């Protein structure tokens, strides 16, 4: 009380409270003190994050199961070795305008971040965490859906596994993005180049012989059901495309298309 300014007590009280309990420092200290480090956390969470599928393995698939278990052990150890298999989990896709992407690369070179014909377009970035190995920009990885089974493999249509090349990696600093050449296990990263391949969540791996991460579970479910239709039936395709983008940006949104449109 003796430190309060009688002329402007509200400002002085705010200054005293901020000095006594700074929010940013308090939250950061709580995270450091209460949150286990990645190595300790993954050791006991891997059984739930990356469950082994109980598939009857034939003799010719024993090598597949063995490699999948090796990958799983690297995830449990949070191995940041360059020789370790790459395992990344994408938990969310978020959209932002192309103009918000960095215009210059790591060496100051100009980046062609968007097409000249679509200067106001948006792109989807994947919010992901590296659980094993070192993820590098330009690397080709396999995108595994939660239903993928490495023992059974996948059909020719590639419904549950796709091979894609990562266009760019970004370190998220508040609202800013900083391009980085690589990200080691234990860190989070924004990935460009997965917008057409990941709907909500997926597992990225350097090998097909990998158990996918289990689907994310939410404590709530959609509660409101709304029927929408275009005023012009010709625009039904555009409406469905917009709903797909909404579903991709918000995993709690579920949409269905009836026979009547």
């Amino acid at each position: 009380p003796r430190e309060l300014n009688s002329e402007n007590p509200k400002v002085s009280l705010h200054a005293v409270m901020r000095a006594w309990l700074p929010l940013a420092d308090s939250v950061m200290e709580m995270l450091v003190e209460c949150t286990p480090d990645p190595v300790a956390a993954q050791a006991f969470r891997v059984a739930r994050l990356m469950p082994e599928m109980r598939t009857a393995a034939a003799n010719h698939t024993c090598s597949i199961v063995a490699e999948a278990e090796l990958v799983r052990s690297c995830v449990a150890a949070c191995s940041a070795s360059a020789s370790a298999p790459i395992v990344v989990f994408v938990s969310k896709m978020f959209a932002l305008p192309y103009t918000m992407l960095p215009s210059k690369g790591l060496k100051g070179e100009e980046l062609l971040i968007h097409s000249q014909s679509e200067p106001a377009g948006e792109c989807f970035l994947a919010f992901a965490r590296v659980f094993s190995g070192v993820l590098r920009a330009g690397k080709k990885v396999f995108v595994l859906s939660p239903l993928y089974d490495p023992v059974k493999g996948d059909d020719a249509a590639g419904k549950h596994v796709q091979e894609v090349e990562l266009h760019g990696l970004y370190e998220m600093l508040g609202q800013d993005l900083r391009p980085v050449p690589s990200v080691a296990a234990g860190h989070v990263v924004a990935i460009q180049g997965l917008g057409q391949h990941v709907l909500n969540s997926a597992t990225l791996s350097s090998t097909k012989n990998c158990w996918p991460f289990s689907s994310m579970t939410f404590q709530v479910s959609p509660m409101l059901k709304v029927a929408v239709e275009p005023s012009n039936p010709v625009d039904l395709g555009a409406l469905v495309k917009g709903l797909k983008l909404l579903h991709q940006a918000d995993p709690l949104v579920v949409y269905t298309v009836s026979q009547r449109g």
Side-chain angles (χ1 to χ4, degrees):
R2 290 178 297 179
E3 299 180 21
L4 298 180
N5 186 344
S6 59
E7 297 180 358
N8 197 344
K10 293 184 178 180
V11 175
S12 300
L13 179 61
H14 174 72
V16 173
M17 292 296 294
R18 185 175 181 181
W20 174 62
L21 186 64
L23 180 60
D25 295 340
S26 301
V27 172
M28 179 60 68
E29 184 178 356
M30 179 183 66
L31 291 174
V32 173
E33 296 294 335
C34 301
T35 306
D37 64 87
V39 177
Q42 290 182 197
F44 65 85
R45 290 176 180 170
V46 66
R48 183 175 181 180
L49 296 176
M50 205 176 189
E52 177 185 357
M53 296 182 181
R54 300 300 178 181
T55 305
N59 293 332
H60 64 280
T61 61
C62 288
S63 59
I64 297 178
V65 175
E67 183 178 356
E69 285 302 304
L70 176 62
V71 174
R72 194 167 181 265
S73 63
C74 291
V75 171
C78 191
S79 177
S81 172
S83 60
I86 299 173
V87 180
V88 181
F89 181 67
V90 176
S91 59
K92 179 180 174 62
M93 302 293 295
F94 62 97
L96 79 165
Y98 277 105
T99 53
M100 292 188 63
L101 293 178
S103 59
K104 294 186 178 181
L106 298 172
K107 299 180 181 179
E109 70 277 11
E110 294 291 334
L111 299 177
L112 299 177
I113 57 176
H114 57 74
S115 172
Q116 296 296 331
S117 61
E118 297 180 345
E122 291 185 338
C123 71
F124 273 95
L125 295 184
F127 180 84
R129 181 187 177 191
V130 183
F131 281 81
S132 174
V134 180
L135 186 67
R136 302 185 185 278
K139 175 75 175 180
K140 286 188 176 182
V141 295
F142 294 101
V143 180
L144 312 178
S145 77
L147 300 178
Y148 175 71
D149 189 338
V151 176
K152 294 181 179 179
D154 198 34
D155 53 17
K159 183 178 180 181
H160 297 303
V161 58
Q162 306 173 65
E163 186 178 15
V164 300
E165 180 179 347
L166 307 180
H167 295 169
L169 305 178
Y170 301 99
E171 181 182 10
M172 294 170 286
L173 303 172
Q175 295 184 348
D176 298 328
L177 297 172
R178 185 172 70 91
V180 292
S182 61
V183 180
H187 297 276
V188 295
V189 62
I191 306 175
Q192 184 183 7
L194 298 175
Q196 301 297 324
H197 307 280
V198 177
L199 182 59
N200 294 128
S201 62
T203 303
L204 310 182
S205 175
S206 56
T207 173
K208 288 184 177 181
N209 300 331
C210 173
W211 306 115
F213 275 62
S214 57
S215 300
M216 296 185 63
T217 57
F218 300 94
Q219 299 296 325
V220 296
S221 59
M223 301 175 59
L224 180 64
K225 184 176 181 179
V226 180
V228 296
E229 61 180 358
S231 57
N232 188 346
V234 180
D235 298 329
L236 178 60
L239 175 62
V240 174
K241 181 179 179 181
L243 291 175
K244 288 182 178 179
L245 294 176
L246 178 61
H247 178 50
Q248 189 174 17
D250 189 346
L252 289 181
V253 173
V254 179
Y255 78 95
T256 57
V257 181
S258 64
Q259 295 181 352
R260 298 178 56 185

